Amino acid sequence: MTDNQKLEQELVRLGKTLTPPPFMADAVMRRVEALPLPQPTFNTTRRWLMRTSIGLAAGLTIATVLWLTLMGSSTPLYAQVDQALKEVRTLHAVAYVRDNGQWAQKGEIWYELGVGIAVAEKRAGRLHRTVDDGKTLVQQVEGEQPISEPSKLDFHSMMTEALNLGAFRDNVDRDPSGDRPIQGTPCKSFLSLELRQQGREGHRFWIDTNNWVRRMERGVFREGQWQPNSALEVAYDVPIDRSHFKVDLSGQKVIEPQRARDALLSLDGALFKTEKMGLIFAVHQVKRCEGNLIFTLCSIRPSVETRKQYGRSRWGIYQQLCDYQLDGSWKRINGEERWYQPCHLASLDPNELSAEGIYAGWWLLIPKGVWREKVQTWEVGVNVYCNGPLGEDLQKQGKPWHGTYRDLASLPLPDAETSLQNLVDNLHADAKTLSTPISMVHLYYATERSANGELFRRSALPGKLSKEKFLDEVRREIEYLKKPLQ
Amino acid sequence: MQSDAQLVQAVLSGDRAAYGALVQRYQRAVYAAALAVLHDRDAAQDAAQDAFVIAFEKLGSLRDPGAFGGWLLMITGRHAMRRSRSPLRWVPIDAADELPADSSDAHGQLDEAAQQMLDALGRLPDHEQRVLMLRYFDDHPVAAIAQMTGRAIGTVTKQISRALQRLRDRLKEKNP
């Protein structure tokens, strides 16, 4: 057997392993059937911007789409359960999985109102611990450095997220035949609608007279028999050992991404900032780079007022309210055109925990057209986009949800050039410092060419892409972008 | 067999069922892409479903309908990554009973060789990932892949050959 044949065999074997459950396609189509048909919506400006940054902008809206996907209308049952949770003083939940027909404990959640929430679970054989006392969120993964962040979720949202109560967003049916006492408390049984169809996986819930979920199971009906594969059992207002909320970080080197974010992206230290459409755009770094390139780090975030109005967490998920693209600073001087081709090098996405909703991007501006003299300044221009509920409200009010702002400022460029290698090395180091499981910087690079010479753009986390490889890829992309558009 | 572009156009023209054909075509690839990030079958299954729904909602913004596969895999990767970093993500499900016994253990974890193969596959360019998954995971003939992707048969053959070479190189880097 040749090497190729062996590899092909391995691929076939892997494919068999990766068979998705048969109900997955059905589940997708059921969700799709409930959605309005998609309409061509592509905005011309945005299309141009996307082409200039090789399709990168598409990724930026995913969080918004995800949010909208998750924000299906809530059922009265969900509202009742959600409301009842607010009355909870303490909670202890135990998660089980069924292994070879036997239930095995997989993790636990402890919660005490005003004290904190702690989650412990085994993933891939390692203990993952998350503790949030309302001030600080600490994540510990066995064998790795702990991560500490200022707490961003309120207690109610933490609990809703930890208990995965989003399952209630789907419609559920009352199922009196399943009523039974749980922990000695009479409970009513409910079934998620997926379970109406044979072979589909769904949830069963048992809810007590306080509208507290006492037990949740996920599984499937086979030949009329309920076959759960996981369960979560919840006890309320029970004594909780507060040691679960304590974390001993003494003697450990703690990663503090928030501190690094503040150092790089604070508004106080920004070279320039301006408020547009309820959003604050800021320039944090501008450097002259070899080959007349300009390197810059810019960010956008909701203003305090916007955050107050739109940035609240619902079901533990923060909404992305904004993004931006740098403008090309196009000018016609004495009949000659000149502009910059923005090249997006990396981005810090507004993460689920960041109530500030900061979206930051590192860019190279590549001069195109005719530049007769050495440039001394960068005329800042930006396209600002309002997303999520902010954008929706503006559209409902008939106001524009995005805007282009040119010549916002003329920022001086330093005389000295910084080498591309130096800039990329620093960016790579910053990205590593900022990247944690809860807040990631994605490095963007163009990689292999297709048959027609087009470069494919990819992203990688800094831990997965060496600075040397990143530099090579950036150089390749600059070379590609310097060519005239076809 | 209809190409991706034809199916996308059909959906945009009101034929919702055409999306079902795209789901069937890419479900394994999307699931694999999600699993490469999340390393958890249940989470990958949820992420794969979400990715298809997100793609449906955004279908109107897809510039080149023929690029549906790559675009979908990009959405999947981003969405899976976002899920993977949710700090309080609770995954109380283990569908080990659902799965065939092959290169995964009783907990649904892939064995090391399978995981390495999946990781290496995830590092290939999108178009190469797509052709390998369609060819070897879903057993589509080259001619059918050519139709789906809107490329010439010769181009697909070359893509597969290059992808296998690259995959072999990446695996050798890992296990010299």
Side-chain angles (χ1 to χ4, degrees):
Chain A
M1 189 183 285
T2 64
D3 281 355
N4 245 6
Q5 285 168 331
K6 276 186 203 161
L7 188 59
E8 287 175 314
Q9 224 175 49
E10 282 298 302
L11 280 167
V12 171
R13 174 175 168 267
L14 179 62
K16 283 184 180 152
T17 305
L18 296 177
T19 304
F23 49 81
M24 195 178 94
D26 286 347
V28 170
M29 289 313 289
R30 190 181 60 80
R31 289 173 65 182
V32 161
E33 277 157 18
L35 295 171
L37 270 172
Q39 300 293 327
T41 56
F42 219 62
N43 176 287
T44 311
T45 307
R46 204 141 168 90
R47 177 178 293 204
W48 179 82
L49 285 164
M50 282 185 71
R51 190 174 60 205
T52 58
S53 59
I54 320 181
L56 181 62
L60 302 179
T61 56
I62 288 177
T64 312
V65 176
L66 170 61
W67 168 246
L68 294 173
T69 306
L70 289 170
M71 285 294 296
S73 60
S74 58
T75 63
L77 177 62
Y78 180 84
Q80 289 167 27
V81 168
D82 191 49
Q83 181 59 36
L85 268 180
K86 291 178 181 156
E87 311 297 323
V88 171
R89 300 203 60 76
T90 66
L91 170 156
H92 177 219
V94 183
Y96 301 92
V97 292
R98 208 178 57 169
D99 193 2
N100 293 324
Q102 300 292 314
W103 286 107
Q105 187 171 319
K106 185 175 180 183
E108 286 179 273
I109 304 170
W110 301 268
Y111 165 77
E112 184 171 349
L113 182 66
V115 177
I117 188 164
V119 178
E121 63 175 318
K122 282 264 185 189
R123 285 192 218 164
R126 290 201 293 175
L127 179 65
H128 290 237
R129 240 185 120 212
T130 306
V131 177
D132 194 328
D133 64 3
K135 291 178 187 159
T136 309
L137 169 87
V138 177
Q139 281 202 312
Q140 288 180 303
V141 178
E142 225 172 350
E144 289 185 13
Q145 282 179 266
I147 297 160
S148 172
E149 284 258 81
S151 180
K152 296 286 167 58
L153 294 181
D154 59 78
F155 283 113
H156 180 71
S157 303
M158 284 181 211
M159 193 164 47
T160 314
E161 172 81 352
L163 290 176
N164 193 22
L165 291 185
F168 286 100
R169 282 190 306 271
D170 296 332
N171 288 328
V172 289
D173 268 348
R174 177 80 173 91
D175 171 35
S177 69
D179 290 358
R180 63 182 166 97
I182 306 279
Q183 304 152 23
T185 307
C187 288
K188 289 179 179 173
S189 164
F190 294 84
L191 292 175
S192 61
L193 293 187
E194 296 99 326
L195 293 172
R196 280 181 181 171
Q197 293 186 35
Q198 185 69 24
R200 278 192 174 167
E201 191 159 313
H203 290 88
R204 294 186 80 178
F205 315 101
W206 285 267
I207 297 175
D208 69 15
T209 49
N210 290 324
N211 284 325
W212 288 343
V213 178
R214 289 281 175 173
R215 189 174 173 90
M216 176 163 61
E217 290 181 356
R218 182 159 168 160
V220 64
F221 277 107
R222 284 207 187 92
E223 294 165 358
Q225 291 293 310
W226 173 240
Q227 297 195 1
N229 49 47
S230 66
L232 187 71
E233 189 143 327
V234 194
Y236 296 88
D237 289 352
V238 291
I240 300 285
D241 179 354
R242 288 192 175 174
S243 66
H244 292 301
F245 307 120
K246 290 196 169 61
V247 184
D248 181 13
L249 297 176
S250 55
Q252 296 190 68
K253 193 177 172 193
V254 180
I255 301 170
E256 294 180 283
Q258 177 75 45
R259 193 173 291 211
R261 279 206 294 274
D262 288 347
L264 271 178
L265 302 170
S266 88
L267 287 178
D268 290 342
L271 301 172
F272 167 74
K273 62 188 169 195
T274 182
E275 186 169 337
K276 300 287 178 195
M277 305 172 82
L279 307 170
I280 298 171
F281 171 77
V283 180
H284 304 278
Q285 289 181 14
V286 180
K287 289 177 182 167
R288 188 194 295 276
C289 180
E290 65 190 50
N292 292 323
L293 306 179
I294 296 175
F295 173 88
T296 182
L297 166 61
C298 306
S299 72
I300 197 162
R301 72 197 75 191
S303 68
V304 174
E305 280 306 307
T306 304
R307 225 162 59 213
K308 209 180 283 174
Q309 197 173 349
Y310 297 101
R312 289 178 62 82
S313 158
R314 277 187 286 184
W315 296 314
I317 295 172
Y318 281 94
Q319 302 156 85
Q320 184 184 346
L321 296 175
C322 49
D323 71 80
Y324 75 93
Q325 290 273 346
L326 288 185
D327 183 70
S329 305
W330 180 89
K331 285 212 174 8
R332 189 192 301 275
I333 298 170
N334 297 329
E336 293 174 334
E337 290 178 71
R338 64 185 219 186
W339 71 97
Y340 289 111
Q341 166 70 64
C343 171
H344 204 170
L345 297 176
S347 72
L348 171 70
D349 288 347
N351 61 79
E352 288 82 350
L353 285 187
S354 173
E356 292 174 18
I358 301 173
Y359 168 70
W362 287 257
W363 302 79
L364 273 176
L365 298 172
I366 301 167
K368 308 272 297 230
V370 182
W371 295 80
R372 297 250 173 229
E373 67 287 338
K374 187 178 178 186
V375 183
Q376 300 300 336
T377 56
W378 170 40
E379 280 74 45
V380 182
V382 65
N383 297 279
V384 170
Y385 302 92
C386 300
N387 296 330
L390 171 63
E392 285 165 23
D393 266 10
L394 288 171
Q395 287 180 63
K396 275 182 205 157
Q397 294 162 23
K399 294 179 183 169
W401 61 276
H402 59 88
T404 299
Y405 303 94
R406 296 203 172 96
D407 295 327
L408 280 171
S410 185
L411 297 181
L413 293 169
D415 276 342
E417 274 186 1
T418 309
S419 72
L420 185 64
Q421 178 172 351
N422 193 296
L423 289 170
V424 168
D425 284 357
N426 287 340
L427 163 53
H428 196 275
D430 286 342
K432 262 192 159 169
T433 311
L434 290 167
S435 284
T436 71
I438 53 175
S439 159
M440 293 189 183
V441 176
H442 296 271
L443 303 175
Y444 298 109
Y445 60 99
T447 183
E448 289 86 352
R449 287 171 194 275
S450 67
N452 61 10
E454 188 186 355
L455 282 185
F456 288 89
R457 212 159 208 281
R458 300 174 69 85
S459 72
L461 298 174
K464 301 275 185 188
L465 181 71
S466 71
K467 60 184 182 184
E468 292 80 13
K469 171 83 173 152
F470 185 39
L471 178 62
D472 283 350
E473 297 289 356
V474 170
R475 284 197 195 285
R476 188 144 55 144
E477 184 163 11
I478 292 169
E479 182 195 323
Y480 175 79
L481 291 173
K482 275 184 172 172
K483 291 179 185 164
L485 284 175
Q486 298 298 310
Chain B
M1 181 178 285
Q2 287 183 289
S3 69
D4 287 358
Q6 286 169 322
L7 288 168
V8 169
Q9 294 296 1
V11 177
L12 292 175
S13 308
D15 179 5
R16 210 179 282 262
Y19 198 68
L22 288 167
V23 173
Q24 290 293 346
R25 187 171 288 178
Y26 285 105
Q27 60 172 337
R28 209 181 289 244
V30 166
Y31 181 60
L35 192 61
V37 175
L38 292 163
H39 298 180
D40 180 299
R41 284 172 178 278
D42 307 304
Q45 185 196 315
D46 290 344
Q49 284 187 29
D50 289 346
F52 276 117
V53 172
I54 291 167
F56 179 82
E57 290 188 312
K58 299 299 287 180
L59 204 57
S61 67
L62 178 59
R63 196 156 43 109
D64 172 11
F68 175 80
W71 177 72
L72 175 66
L73 290 176
M74 186 190 76
I75 288 176
T76 308
R78 298 275 302 199
H79 180 58
M81 219 168 260
R82 194 169 285 279
R83 281 183 74 103
S84 75
R85 62 193 197 231
S86 175
L88 294 176
R89 182 173 65 91
W90 187 255
V91 187
I93 310 131
D94 190 311
D97 294 351
E98 303 280 333
L99 304 168
D102 34 49
S103 48
S104 58
D105 64 18
H107 298 280
Q109 302 292 331
L110 293 177
D111 66 28
E112 197 182 341
Q115 189 61 57
Q116 276 186 10
M117 176 78 81
L118 189 59
D119 289 345
L121 196 60
R123 285 187 286 124
L124 295 181
D126 291 343
H127 66 291
E128 291 185 359
Q129 278 183 44
R130 198 171 19 153
V131 291
L132 285 191
M133 287 173 177
L134 289 170
R135 179 74 192 94
Y136 298 106
F137 290 8
D138 290 315
D139 200 26
H140 289 295
V142 172
I145 299 171
Q147 269 193 316
M148 289 178 204
T149 56
R151 304 275 180 201
I153 291 178
T155 306
V156 173
T157 308
K158 275 185 206 153
Q159 283 180 347
I160 291 175
S161 160
R162 269 198 297 262
L164 286 173
Q165 180 61 47
R166 212 187 306 271
L167 187 62
R168 198 164 39 242
D169 292 346
R170 300 248 156 110
L171 288 168
K172 270 186 192 158
E173 282 168 19
K174 194 87 180 169
N175 298 307

